[in-house]
Amino acid sequence: MSHIFTVRELTAAVKEVLESEFPFVWVKGQAGNISRPGSGHLYFSLKDQDSVLNCVWFKSNQTAGPNTSPEKLQTGQALLCAGRLAVYSPRGTYQLIAELVQDQGTGNLHLEFEALKKDLARQGYFDRDRKKNLPANPRQIGVVTSPSGAAIRDFLKVGHTRGLPSMIRIYPCLVQGEAAAETIASALEQANLEAWAEVLVLIRGGGSLEDLWSFNTQTVAKALFSSRIPVITGIGHETDQTIAGLTADCNGSTPTHAAQLIWPERDQMAQRIDELEISLLKSRRQFFSSKKQRLLELEQGLSWLSPGRHLERLAERNDFALQELKRAGELFFRQKSMALDTAVTGLSRSFPASCWDLLEQRVEQLSQRLLRSGKLFCSNKEISLEHLGVTLDNLNPYSPLQRGYSLVKKQSDGTILRSSNQVAPGDQLDIRTENDHIPARVESSAAPVQDKNRSS
Amino acid sequence: MPKKNKSFEEQLARLQEIVSALEKGDLPLEEGVALFQEGSRLAKSCREQLKQAKHKVQVYSNGILEDFEPLDQEKEPGDDQTKT
């Protein structure tokens, strides 16, 4: 379930986010809504064509120097402001707590800062690869700061709950004002000369841009740059914007943050020990159980090697070999049977059905030929029979009667008369024509026939 | 075997080493037991180091190191705006 905020909680959360995200910003715009209450604080807004930003310039920040004079501030003036964002809870608004308010035409502090930054960057002051690593769990720590400031108090307060018990040595210096930069540089040099500390800490509590200005000087940057001992900074409430912070090996945002960067939390360290101890116990368990496992394996190995087991294994192998033999035998016969099947199939394929058909066809052809030749033979016979019939007809003695001949028989005995000497006058004759009989009688003796052609 | 002068980090590293060695498990039994005992001693020693007194703070004052107690009441100028 999502958390339901109270207004107070939500505002606090927004405040936390906003103020940590914008601890120091430069912003430009036109002044407006200027109000000067009796308190001496100055309220105004910065705006451009789209947006408005409420600003407050507390009296304590209205110092002379790069700032424009508060009395001269007027509506429409182009301003360059620097400061931090803050949430004003009673009205639920955010505003810029201005530390520097300059006429934009005369923003020399900003320019000075940028110029030095550019110059030092060119000289390699900010190069990552020249920065030294912080030692882990340092036991001897040098702190360059004011012994009377809030910074050392915050630093120690956090430090006491962190890291291993260590020795902390404070190298006092001024942290604001004209001489501050020099004292900071010489404190750093002294610490390096002593070479006692494993790590140096340069810290200062929050303050106005001017208060912090000594940390934006070349003097301090140079001292940091030449330190042989790693240096960590925690200056004001600002993240990236001091030259010292950029030059240092490690840049914490505040004195508290610097302490956090140096030491891990003691609870976390204890937790790490706990974790290791738990792994130790676990690994011991593992170790012993792996030994036990090994012992078990060896025991099993031993029983494997016993004579009884050896016999069992031989019996197993024997069984196996028998089964193999059986299987091989079956396979042999199966293969032979298959070969036989194949041969039979092949053989039947060599005499196909078409072979029979062919023979049948031939029989058919031959029988037809037989039939035909039989018929032919018979008809030949018929023809010759007909011829014979005709011939026979021609030989019929009655046939010439059709052509007008007559046949003369002796009536007495029926003999056919071939010559006259077969009869005597008075003999009864029978003349046969084609269709009838004529009875006749011989009258006289016969006279011979002269015509040669008619005799046969 | 642990020596008294080893740093906290070295002791932790050694402890980690012992854990790894035991996890591997290919040591002789006696060695494993000895390692475990060493590990237990290391864990105890580390924990005791953490329990010891707070940081000891000194400040250079006129060239002499003096013990230092931060003054809780005193505030830096401009500090009222630094509250986080």
Side-chain angles (χ1 to χ4, degrees):
Chain A
M1 205 173 102
S2 61
H3 178 65
I4 298 174
F5 286 98
T6 62
V7 174
R8 178 204 183 100
E9 281 170 348
L10 185 59
T11 307
V14 169
K15 186 179 169 77
E16 167 86 29
V17 170
L18 199 65
E19 293 182 0
S20 62
E21 192 66 26
F22 300 101
F24 188 86
V25 288
W26 294 92
V27 56
K28 60 182 182 179
Q30 276 191 326
N33 299 332
I34 301 166
S35 102
R36 298 182 171 85
S39 62
H41 303 322
L42 200 147
Y43 300 92
F44 62 100
S45 60
L46 279 178
K47 56 184 171 185
D48 54 22
Q49 59 270 42
D50 298 318
S51 310
V52 176
L53 174 68
N54 291 326
C55 303
V56 51
W57 194 10
F58 290 117
K59 197 177 175 187
S60 57
N61 287 332
Q62 294 168 7
T63 50
N67 285 324
T68 190
S69 154
E71 292 79 29
K72 285 184 185 163
L73 202 68
Q74 51 187 322
T75 302
Q77 190 177 358
L79 294 177
L80 175 65
C81 299
R84 66 191 168 92
L85 282 187
V87 168
Y88 184 55
S89 310
R91 279 219 315 267
T93 58
Y94 71 96
Q95 56 191 4
L96 180 78
I97 311 288
E99 290 168 17
L100 177 95
V101 179
Q102 283 184 327
D103 189 84
Q104 229 184 91
T106 63
N108 51 9
L109 203 53
H110 174 60
L111 292 178
E112 209 177 291
F113 178 89
E114 289 302 328
L116 181 60
K117 185 172 157 188
K118 207 166 155 188
D119 186 36
L120 295 181
R122 209 186 54 240
Q123 293 181 48
Y125 270 48
F126 311 144
D127 291 353
R128 252 178 209 294
D129 50 9
R130 64 150 274 270
K131 299 205 171 183
K132 298 176 273 295
N133 289 327
L134 298 185
N137 275 314
R139 310 296 290 269
Q140 296 181 345
I141 295 143
V143 184
V144 177
T145 192
S146 154
S148 59
I152 185 68
R153 200 183 62 227
D154 291 348
F155 178 81
L156 290 178
K157 194 169 134 201
V158 173
H160 279 313
T161 67
R162 304 176 83 90
L164 290 168
S166 346
M167 302 278 286
I168 297 170
R169 190 173 288 182
I170 298 170
Y171 297 91
C173 66
L174 297 174
V175 290
Q176 71 183 83
E178 288 284 313
E182 281 301 329
T183 62
I184 293 165
S186 66
L188 285 169
E189 275 158 28
Q190 194 200 345
N192 268 283
L193 221 59
E194 261 184 55
W196 169 85
E198 295 166 63
V199 60
L200 290 175
V201 189
L202 175 60
I203 47 175
R204 192 223 188 270
S208 70
L209 184 70
E210 272 208 294
D211 289 343
L212 298 179
W213 198 251
S214 30
F215 293 88
N216 287 328
T217 56
Q218 190 155 13
T219 317
V220 170
K222 207 167 170 184
L224 285 168
F225 184 68
S226 31
S227 173
R228 287 178 305 277
I229 304 170
V231 186
I232 176 167
T233 48
I235 296 158
H237 39 59
E238 168 268 356
T239 46
D240 289 318
Q241 287 294 327
T242 60
I243 296 293
L246 291 169
T247 313
D249 297 297
C250 179
N251 182 27
S253 56
T254 60
T256 303
H257 188 212
Q260 288 165 345
L261 289 172
I262 290 175
W263 295 294
E265 231 172 311
R266 213 164 279 166
D267 290 348
Q268 275 176 12
M269 293 168 80
Q271 195 179 345
R272 173 134 184 254
I273 297 167
D274 286 349
E275 277 164 7
L276 274 171
E277 201 176 41
I278 289 164
S279 334
L280 182 69
L281 291 170
K282 196 175 134 204
S283 67
R284 182 181 73 154
R285 256 199 321 278
Q286 248 173 36
F287 180 75
F288 282 116
S289 79
S290 88
K291 291 286 174 215
K292 217 174 182 175
Q293 182 64 31
R294 179 93 185 104
L295 183 61
L296 214 67
E297 280 166 14
L298 286 174
E299 261 177 5
Q300 280 173 354
L302 197 61
S303 76
W304 179 256
L305 292 172
S306 78
R309 281 290 295 144
H310 184 63
L311 281 179
E312 276 174 39
R313 276 201 306 283
L314 282 180
E316 269 171 31
R317 269 171 63 188
N318 193 22
D319 283 354
F320 182 70
L322 265 177
Q323 278 176 2
E324 285 293 289
L325 188 62
K326 206 173 146 196
R327 200 170 314 149
E330 278 168 5
L331 185 66
F332 176 76
F333 285 112
R334 201 158 49 238
Q335 277 171 350
K336 289 293 166 207
S337 148
M338 266 160 61
L340 185 59
D341 283 353
T342 313
V344 168
T345 315
L347 194 58
S348 67
R349 206 174 289 138
S350 308
F351 294 96
S354 60
C355 175
W356 298 108
D357 290 349
L358 219 62
L359 287 174
E360 245 173 85
Q361 256 175 22
R362 272 200 62 202
V363 170
E364 180 75 14
Q365 280 170 3
L366 285 173
S367 63
Q368 282 189 1
R369 267 171 71 186
L370 184 63
L371 210 62
R372 263 199 311 274
S373 53
K375 271 186 189 159
L376 191 61
F377 178 76
C378 287
S379 70
N380 282 346
K381 290 298 170 203
E382 255 175 68
I383 291 167
S384 39
L385 188 61
E386 220 170 295
H387 281 303
L388 285 176
V390 171
T391 312
L392 195 60
D393 276 348
N394 289 345
L395 294 177
N396 188 348
Y398 295 103
S399 297
L401 298 188
Q402 290 167 4
R403 297 199 302 269
Y405 293 97
S406 304
L407 189 67
V408 181
K409 287 180 193 176
K410 255 173 52 179
Q411 204 163 43
S412 56
D413 57 3
T415 52
I416 295 169
L417 281 190
R418 290 183 180 268
S419 116
S420 56
N421 46 16
Q422 285 175 280
V423 283
D427 280 351
Q428 294 290 332
L429 295 176
D430 182 38
I431 303 168
R432 171 83 191 262
T433 64
E434 190 188 1
N435 295 316
D436 46 18
H437 297 275
I438 307 162
R441 202 173 46 151
V442 181
E443 292 288 335
S444 61
S445 299
V449 176
Q450 295 297 342
D451 189 358
K452 269 286 205 198
N453 283 342
R454 293 286 304 199
S455 70
S456 61
Chain B
M1 294 293 108
K3 291 282 162 268
K4 272 292 143 200
N5 292 339
K6 270 193 177 160
S7 79
F8 182 81
E9 278 300 314
E10 281 166 340
Q11 288 186 5
L12 280 188
R14 174 69 183 148
L15 185 50
Q16 181 67 63
E17 195 179 296
I18 287 169
V19 169
S20 307
L22 282 176
E23 274 169 353
K24 260 188 171 175
D26 53 2
L27 298 164
L29 185 65
E30 294 74 14
E31 218 171 295
V33 172
L35 271 183
F36 172 73
Q37 286 170 346
E38 184 192 342
S40 301
R41 275 197 301 275
L42 280 172
K44 198 176 162 202
S45 148
C46 286
R47 198 167 280 136
E48 270 168 7
Q49 286 181 62
L50 275 186
K51 276 186 198 154
Q52 278 171 17
K54 291 178 167 186
H55 305 299
K56 181 174 170 59
V57 188
Q58 292 182 310
V59 62
Y60 268 107
S61 177
N62 302 319
I64 304 161
L65 271 178
E66 286 176 357
D67 284 348
F68 175 79
E69 272 305 319
L71 304 167
D72 268 348
Q73 304 319 89
E74 202 168 335
K75 285 196 177 186
E76 241 180 315
D79 191 45
D80 52 341
Q81 285 179 31
T82 69
K83 290 222 173 94
T84 49

